[in-house]
Amino acid sequence: MALPESNKGVLYGLSAYTMWGCFPLYFALFEGVPAWEVVVHRVLWSCVFLAIIVTFLKRWQPVRAALAHPSKLGVVLGCAVLIALNWGVYIYAVESRQVLQASLGYFLTPLVNVGLGMLVLKESISRLQIVAVALATIAILYQLFLLGVVPWITLALAFSFGTYGLLRKQVALDGLSGLFVETLLLLPVGILALSALSYAGVSHFGTSAATTLLLLSSGVVTAVPLLAFAGAARRLRLSTVGFLMYINPTIQFLIALLVFNEPLSPEKLTSFVMIWIALGIYSWSAWAGRVRHAVS
């Protein structure tokens, strides 16, 4: 008996967010390889693997349409730079065992999206959503004043991904085609960087079979969760996809504590709790708003 499409969507969504949540375990294997070099290979091999997938799925039409208008690729290039920055900071967070800060960044991202929508797009938001954004801001300031350091990994991940989402709304490309075009625009820089590393004799590609296979696999690891997410997005309501999104940072949070044994100070725990409360307020407000809209 075939599964209903909604059930398939949930399975795809669970798969996508579980894979993204387990990324710290994968990127921890790149010990000794600088984060920026991993990003270079992630761009290169993602582009290659995505080209194969686009060919297999016969999805070249939207890609050709995007490339046919170079003047409109500025926003896509902005998306590409932001996603590469996000990848680099995230990999650095894993390599430096600061996964708690990374997970907090992804917990914070939905609230950053709300704030950017209000400030940049002039979107109207409810009072509860304003309270949620204010509480998240207080949580970050709490860390700043009590710990005496700027949680830059959290802020960099949240704002780079939040701004990426803001720009991505202006691009008429689906997730798969969009990421392929983004990596394609970064491909020349990636090739130059890899050539420079090889010329200087500091490239880790080819130094050992294990490291080389890991670098090559980064393309597959990037694309597979995206394909699963696309399958979920086609079959589920946006509210359901939004709820599943919290699986990713939750798994990262647990990996940081249980696998990497990162210390969770009372100050950090308090800021996490404040963010979780803010997310609860935001989720309730969004759900209540949809109910009212459906009734009316």
Side-chain angles (χ1 to χ4, degrees), residues 4-10 12 227-237 241:
E5 287 300 300
S6 60
N7 289 1
K8 288 182 182 178
V10 170
Y12 280 126
L227 293 173
F229 175 78
R234 284 196 303 269
R235 294 171 173 85
L236 297 175
R237 293 185 303 174
V241 175

Side-chain angles (χ1 to χ4, degrees), residues 32-49:
V33 184
W36 69 273
E37 185 178 352
V38 178
V39 172
V40 167
H41 283 277
R42 195 173 179 186
V43 167
L44 291 172
W45 306 120
S46 293
C47 190
V48 172
F49 186 69

Side-chain angles (χ1 to χ4, degrees), residues 208-230:
S208 71
T211 301
T212 302
L213 285 174
L214 275 173
L215 291 170
L216 287 170
S217 70
S218 62
V220 179
V221 169
T222 297
V224 170
L226 177 69
L227 293 173
F229 175 78

Side-chain angles (χ1 to χ4, degrees), residues 151-165:
W152 71 270
I153 289 176
T154 294
L155 295 175
L157 289 175
F159 278 93
S160 62
F161 203 67
T163 308
Y164 171 80

Side-chain angles (χ1 to χ4, degrees), residues 17-290:
Y17 285 116
T18 299
M19 283 187 278
W20 279 324
C22 291
F23 266 16
L25 300 176
Y26 171 73
F27 287 111
L29 300 174
F30 289 88
E31 190 173 0
V33 184
W36 69 273
E37 185 178 352
V38 178
V39 172
V40 167
H41 283 277
R42 195 173 179 186
V43 167
L44 291 172
W45 306 120
S46 293
C47 190
V48 172
F49 186 69
L50 287 168
I52 295 171
I53 296 298
V54 167
T55 302
F56 178 76
L57 296 177
K58 300 178 180 180
R59 300 271 285 277
W60 278 100
Q61 193 280 327
V63 174
R64 284 194 293 267
L67 296 177
H69 299 89
S71 61
K72 297 182 180 180
L73 289 177
V75 176
V76 183
L77 180 60
C79 290
V81 171
L82 285 167
I83 201 64
L85 173 64
N86 186 271
W87 287 353
V89 173
Y90 181 78
I91 295 167
Y92 170 79
V94 174
E95 291 185 343
S96 60
R97 295 299 187 266
Q98 298 184 72
V99 178
L100 280 175
Q101 288 295 322
S103 70
L104 186 60
Y106 288 116
F107 275 124
L108 188 64
T109 298
L111 301 173
V112 168
N113 289 336
V114 173
L116 289 174
M118 179 181 64
L119 295 173
V120 179
L121 302 180
K122 308 302 180 185
E123 295 177 347
S124 59
I125 65 175
S126 68
R127 291 180 181 177
L128 280 178
Q129 289 175 332
I130 292 175
V131 170
V133 173
L135 186 57
T137 304
I138 292 170
I140 296 300
L141 292 174
Y142 178 83
Q143 275 203 34
L144 173 62
F145 288 111
L146 267 72
L147 299 180
V149 293
V150 177
W152 71 270
I153 289 176
T154 294
L155 295 175
L157 289 175
F159 278 93
S160 62
F161 203 67
T163 308
Y164 171 80
L166 185 69
L167 292 181
R168 196 67 178 76
K169 285 185 176 182
Q170 304 173 38
V171 179
L173 283 169
D174 60 272
L176 175 64
S177 303
L179 185 60
F180 175 55
V181 174
E182 289 162 15
T183 55
L184 193 62
L185 292 177
L186 294 176
L187 185 62
V189 178
I191 293 173
L192 284 173
L194 182 59
S195 300
L197 286 169
S198 300
Y199 181 77
V202 294
S203 172
H204 288 80
F205 189 74
T207 55
S208 71
T211 301
T212 302
L213 285 174
L214 275 173
L215 291 170
L216 287 170
S217 70
S218 62
V220 179
V221 169
T222 297
V224 170
L226 177 69
L227 293 173
F229 175 78
R234 284 196 303 269
R235 294 171 173 85
L236 297 175
R237 293 185 303 174
L238 186 61
S239 57
T240 305
V241 175
F243 176 77
L244 293 174
M245 178 182 62
Y246 298 134
I247 294 172
N248 172 14
T250 299
I251 293 175
Q252 292 184 36
F253 178 83
L254 294 174
I255 287 174
L257 289 180
L258 303 178
V259 179
F260 296 155
N261 297 314
E262 291 187 23
L264 181 61
S265 66
E267 293 83 5
K268 284 185 180 179
L269 179 58
T270 301
S271 64
F272 266 102
V273 171
M274 293 171 73
I275 294 292
W276 291 333
I277 293 172
L279 286 173
I281 294 171
Y282 162 73
S283 299
W284 167 258
S285 174
W287 179 81
R290 291 189 184 96

